[in-house]
Structure formats: structure tokens, C-alpha cells
Amino acid sequence: MARLFDAYIMVDWSAASKPVTGANSIWIGILARDARLRMVFQAVNPDTRLKAREFLTDIIAKLHRRGDKVLLGFDFSLGFPAGTASTLGLDVSGHAPWQAMQAHLSTKMKEKPDNSNPRFAVAAGMNYAISKGPFPFWGAPKRDQVKTLSGTKGDFENGTLPEFRETENYLKAQKLGNPKSCWQLAYTGSVGSQTLTGIPHIKALRETIEGARLWPFETGFKPLDEESLTEISLLICEIYPSAIDVVPEAGEVVDRAQVRAIAHHYSDLDKTGRLAGYFAPPDSLEEGKIGSIEAEEGWILVK
């Protein structure tokens, strides 16, 4: 059975405010064929987000020149809970909510070469637009706390937006991990800051690389096959490395081990023909929720 993809690039993102390498920084893992057609893994550790995007653009261009179809995964939320864009006051009449959120964040989150970013100020501004108070984003360090951004979680039981997307609820129910909410900006396992800093780079890659598409927003939440990927050279998806067992090698940084393990995981699934089904909704998901997943929430590539 032919593979859907020829190369697998997995990214462990970081919202660090200064250049950093090693643990808790950006790690990019590439699993692709070498000159002898063997699948070989390599990892790079750029110290800023701008350098990471430049590297990704270059390596994907090289893979495309030799005809490789690429699966690119990022370990942060590519979408927000259903209703976020409209509650924020964004115009969703001419395009999907996920596109409105990408455009909004791209105008707010301006990257600088020194890796500094205004994520806490942006989150505080979005909270004001949504609730006029410290909801739904939370988890700012004391120096960044203001009237509309707190260090503690708000009242999601009575709030205007849910704490979790359907995909996080699914992972929890299946005991595949304990994913954090995209609203949580700091503390162990948080993904909110990575989401705010990462989505603008996703938008830039999508617009720069010919044949790039986002799953499931642009492909539909359904099984993918060779025919459905004919016009797609790069498929961008959301990953959750903690859903699989990861064993670091001697002296290996955990982040590097995670991108290595998840790249091999998807490659093995693809080799045996099982990856195609991962792009479809689980049987337990209510059919009525698929529309909001395709339009705004997104889904983690996991079964």
C-alpha cells in the first residue's frame, strides 16, 4: 500500500520571549528518505520562531523539489472553541471562523528577531473584547496581570465560551492524556501562549508554500486518500505528542525525543495504511459537532 506522505515534519513550539535552545525551546524533527531511500530522522533546534519558520520554509521547499508530499505537525491548538470568533466580534460573514482568528492574531502578534512578543497584552485585549474582564484567557505571571488578565482560571461554568474544544474532551475521555485548554497561557503543560504565537506562523506558511492546506479546516473531517491529496503538497495538522509513549535516548532532550517519536509514529501508521483513517472523526463523536470542528475548532491527529 502506497504511503500518503513521503516526509514527516513535527514541531515542538515555544512561546519564549528571548532566543533559547535546549530544553523547553523549539525542536523540529524531520523524518524523510535519504539518498538510499531509507527513512532517516534529524532534528534542529532554532533559537527563535522567525528562524524556525525560515527553516521550515526552506526544508519543505527542498522536499517539494524532489517530489515529496509532506505532513507537518505542530503541538499547539490550531483553532479555538466554537463561538470564539463571533464572541470576539470578528467578521465571519465572508470567511470561516478559523480564518478570521488567523487574520486577527496575525495583525496583533508581531514577531521580532529577538523573539519578544506581546502575547499577554494580546490576550488581555481579547478578554476585554469577549467579557470586559479576565475571561477566558488566564495564567499570566504577576508582572503581566491587569484588570482583564488574571493568574487564575475564570468561571467557565457560567462563561460565554467553553474551556475545552471537542478534541480535548475526546482525548480526556479516551484516557489519551490530559491536554490543557488553549485559554491557559502559563504553568506546566500550558498551550495558550504557544497557540497565540504559533497561529500567525501557520498562516504565513499556508500562504507562502504552494499546495499547503490545513486539516481539517480545508480538507474536511473525513478519511484522506491519495486522490484527495492530489493537489496538496503540504498538509498542516495539530499533534499531541503526549498521546504516545516517548522514551528519550541517553542524553536526549525530552522535546527532541517527542518530535522523533511522533514522526516515527505517523510514518509507521502511514506505511501500514492506517494513517488515512486518522483524518476522520471517531465513531463516538456526534455528527452535529463536525461542522464546528471543520469551521473553527480543528482536531488533534490522534485516534
Side-chain angles (χ1 to χ4, degrees):
M1 182 175 293
R3 290 174 177 265
L4 295 178
F5 302 95
D6 305 291
Y8 311 83
I9 302 178
M10 301 294 128
V11 184
D12 185 312
W13 198 248
S14 169
S17 296
K18 61 182 180 180
V20 60
T21 58
N24 300 316
S25 64
I26 297 175
W27 282 90
I28 302 173
I30 307 101
L31 183 63
R33 293 185 178 90
D34 65 6
R36 297 183 180 181
L37 302 182
R38 299 172 301 182
M39 297 298 288
V40 175
F41 177 81
Q42 63 172 310
V44 296
N45 185 207
D47 63 357
T48 70
R49 286 175 292 278
L50 286 174
K51 288 180 182 178
R53 192 173 90 199
E54 181 180 6
F55 173 82
L56 287 169
T57 302
D58 290 345
I59 189 65
I60 292 168
K62 290 177 182 177
L63 291 168
H64 283 174
R65 281 197 292 270
R66 71 182 196 184
D68 283 3
K69 196 179 294 288
V70 181
L71 180 67
L72 174 61
F74 289 88
D75 70 336
F76 55 79
S77 306
L78 299 192
F80 287 83
T84 298
S86 58
T87 304
L88 186 58
L90 303 183
D91 180 8
V92 294
S93 59
H95 40 240
W98 68 268
Q99 293 173 305
M101 286 298 296
Q102 281 196 351
H104 178 73
L105 289 176
S106 293
T107 63
K108 299 293 184 181
M109 294 294 302
K110 298 300 184 182
E111 285 282 10
K112 298 179 181 179
D114 65 358
N115 223 33
S116 61
N117 63 83
R119 65 188 188 276
F120 294 113
V122 170
M126 292 172 71
N127 276 355
Y128 180 81
I130 291 171
S131 69
K132 301 299 187 290
F135 178 90
F137 285 104
W138 66 278
K142 193 170 185 62
R143 66 179 180 276
D144 293 297
Q145 292 177 19
V146 293
K147 184 178 180 181
T148 57
L149 186 61
S150 170
T152 56
K153 184 167 66 173
D155 182 10
F156 281 95
E157 289 188 8
N158 299 301
T160 54
L161 291 167
E163 182 175 5
F164 296 102
R165 298 175 298 163
E166 291 298 330
T167 188
E168 285 110 16
N169 291 330
Y170 172 77
L171 262 67
K172 291 172 184 287
Q174 298 299 314
K175 302 187 186 307
L176 293 173
N178 186 33
K180 303 297 184 180
S181 166
C182 60
W183 305 124
Q184 184 178 343
L185 300 173
Y187 316 127
T188 302
S190 63
V191 71
S193 287
Q194 289 90 330
T195 298
L196 291 180
T197 58
I199 283 179
H201 290 281
I202 296 286
K203 183 176 186 292
L205 288 169
R206 163 68 179 80
E207 294 175 348
T208 301
I209 299 174
E210 185 177 356
R213 297 292 184 272
L214 273 64
W215 173 81
F217 302 126
E218 298 182 282
T219 63
F221 198 11
K222 60 186 180 181
L224 298 182
D225 54 25
E226 191 172 355
E227 183 178 356
S228 61
L229 292 170
T230 300
E231 302 299 323
I232 299 175
S233 60
L234 173 69
L235 188 64
I236 303 172
C237 66
E238 181 179 341
I239 63 174
Y240 182 61
S242 297
I244 65 171
D245 293 330
V246 176
V247 181
E249 298 173 350
E252 186 179 30
V253 173
V254 172
D255 310 270
R256 184 188 190 280
Q258 288 187 319
V259 294
R260 172 177 55 78
I262 198 72
H264 279 286
H265 175 65
Y266 291 132
S267 175
D268 291 344
L269 289 171
D270 202 4
K271 181 180 179 180
T272 56
R274 293 176 291 160
L275 183 60
Y278 273 54
F279 297 104
D283 294 338
S284 60
L285 184 69
E286 296 177 22
E287 187 174 345
K289 295 179 178 179
I290 292 177
S292 60
I293 289 169
E294 293 177 335
E296 185 163 17
E297 292 202 352
W299 193 266
I300 296 169
L301 189 59
V302 69
K303 279 288 187 184

